Structures are given as structure tokens and as C-alpha cells.
């Protein structure tokens, strides 16, 4: 009975069909104190189909993470009061009691060699150097997201059969 009331599905813009199908509706938290960077990064992410919530500092981020689940957190490292390292440490401390693990991608202005290690040591799962390039950000998200979604959601269509065969061979 309710079928007749359903509107026809909207046609999708051709250029972004594949990424938006995979990413549409995945909710990310962008933690960034700089207003311009907030705009640039959130626009970059929304263009890929992600839903983006923005937190302007570590305290706001922890409050948002308490209210709601995010697939990935994009965490600016340099923020006043509570930086990205402290915020991630507080999140990981909280998670140690629940067993949850929200992936954190650091947004870092340091392109220094030890930076990756410092981010990983702080409990972050990956990092992207600033100024953020869409390619870098998307690549890092594609690396992180399959873990957040149990390994199934972002797998390329053509790789499905091969990956499944590999999985069963390895007994994973
Ligand atoms: Mn900052």
C-alpha cells in the first residue's frame, strides 16, 4: 500500500557515484580550532559524501564523542588549552573502560620525521600533513575506514571475490 507514495530515487551526479555510495552517511568528527581550516576540511569531506560534525577544541570533541558515535575523528594536533595528543589520550583512556576504539587521524602541521611515530604513540591511527590535500585525506580515510566498519564496507567491488578467497585461506 505504501509503495505508491514513495518518490522516485534521485539521480546521482555521475562523477562522484562510487565514492559517495560508499561514504554517504558516514559520520566524521573534525576537531580543528582554526575557522578557515574548519571550512576547508569539512567542505573537502562533505564533497566525498561524509556527514561532518565540527568541534573547535579538545573539550568540545570529547563532549561530542560522549554524545555520539563517529566512524573516524580527524584531530588537529595544535590546539590551545587541550591539544590533539591530550584529547586523543583522554579518548583512549575513556575507551579503555568500554572496549571501543574510534579511529583518530591526526592533522599535523609538522612534516617532521618523528611526527608519525609521535601520533601513533599518542594513540592515533594515522596522520595527514597540513595544508591538507584532498588526495592525502581520502587515501588515509580509505585506509582507516574498513577497520571502523568491520572490513567489509569500503572494499572495492572487483576486489570482493579475491579478498574473500584470501580471507578464507588465511582463516581470518
Ligand atoms: Mn590548530
Amino acid at each position: 500500500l505504501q509503495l505508491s507514495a514513495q518518490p522516485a530515487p534521485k539521480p546521482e551526479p555521475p562523477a562522484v557515484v562510487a565514492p559517495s555510495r560508499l561514504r554517504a552517511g558516514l559520520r566524521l568528527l573534525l576537531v580543528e580550532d582554526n575557522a578557515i581550516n574548519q571550512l576547508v576540511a569539512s567542505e573537502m569531506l562533505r564533497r566525498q559524501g561524509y556527514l561532518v560534525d565540527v568541534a573547535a577544541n579538545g573539550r568540545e570533541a570529547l563532549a561530542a564523542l560522549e554524545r555520539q558515535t563517529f566512524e573516524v575523528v580527524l584531530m588537529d594536533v595544535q590546539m590551545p588549552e587541550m591539544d590533539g595528543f591530550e584529547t586523543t589520550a583522554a579518548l583512549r583512556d575513556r575507551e579503555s573502560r568500554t572496549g571501543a576504539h574510534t579511529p583518530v587521524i591526526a592533522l599535523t602541521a609538522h612534516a617532521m620525521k618523528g611526527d608519525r611515530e609521535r601520533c601513533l604513540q599518542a594513540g592515533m591511527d594515522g596522520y595527514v600533513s597540513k595544508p591538507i590535500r584532498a588526495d592525502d585525506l581520502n587515501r588515509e580515510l580509505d585506509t582507516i575506514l574498513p577497520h571502523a566498519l568491520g572490513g567489509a564496507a569500503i572494499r572495492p567491488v572487483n576486489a570482493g571475490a579475491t579478498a574473500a578467497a584470501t580471507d578464507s585461506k588465511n582463516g581470518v
Side-chain angles (χ1 to χ4, degrees), residues 103-126:
V104 174
I105 297 175
L107 307 176
T108 172
H110 317 283
M112 290 162 59
K113 216 171 174 216
D115 223 44
R116 186 175 175 277
E117 284 67 32
R118 196 178 166 204
C119 288
L120 298 181
Q121 255 172 27
M124 289 153 163
D125 301 88

Side-chain angles (χ1 to χ4, degrees), residues 39-154:
L39 279 176
V40 171
S42 59
E43 182 53 32
M44 223 177 248
L45 292 162
R46 287 185 181 121
R47 216 173 279 155
Q48 294 295 321
Y50 296 114
L51 299 172
V52 185
D53 286 8
V54 178
N57 57 57
R59 223 178 314 278
E60 276 185 25
L62 291 172
L65 284 156
E66 198 144 5
R67 280 195 306 270
Q68 152 142 49
T69 303
F70 295 91
E71 303 299 341
V72 173
V73 179
L74 297 154
M75 181 79 72
D76 182 25
V77 166
Q78 288 182 301
M79 294 185 290
E81 289 181 63
M82 193 177 197
D83 68 21
F85 295 122
E86 290 175 85
T87 308
T88 303
L91 171 64
R92 294 293 177 244
D93 183 55
R94 191 191 286 172
E95 287 177 337
S96 70
R97 276 165 265 143
T98 64
H101 181 92
T102 305
V104 174
I105 297 175
L107 307 176
T108 172
H110 317 283
M112 290 162 59
K113 216 171 174 216
D115 223 44
R116 186 175 175 277
E117 284 67 32
R118 196 178 166 204
C119 288
L120 298 181
Q121 255 172 27
M124 289 153 163
D125 301 88
Y127 85 111
V128 174
S129 297
K130 289 181 175 183
I132 298 168
R133 293 171 57 246
D135 282 357
D136 294 343
L137 186 56
N138 292 335
R139 194 179 316 120
E140 197 66 15
L141 280 165
D142 285 351
T143 307
I144 299 285
L145 272 168
H147 301 287
L149 301 172
I154 304 289

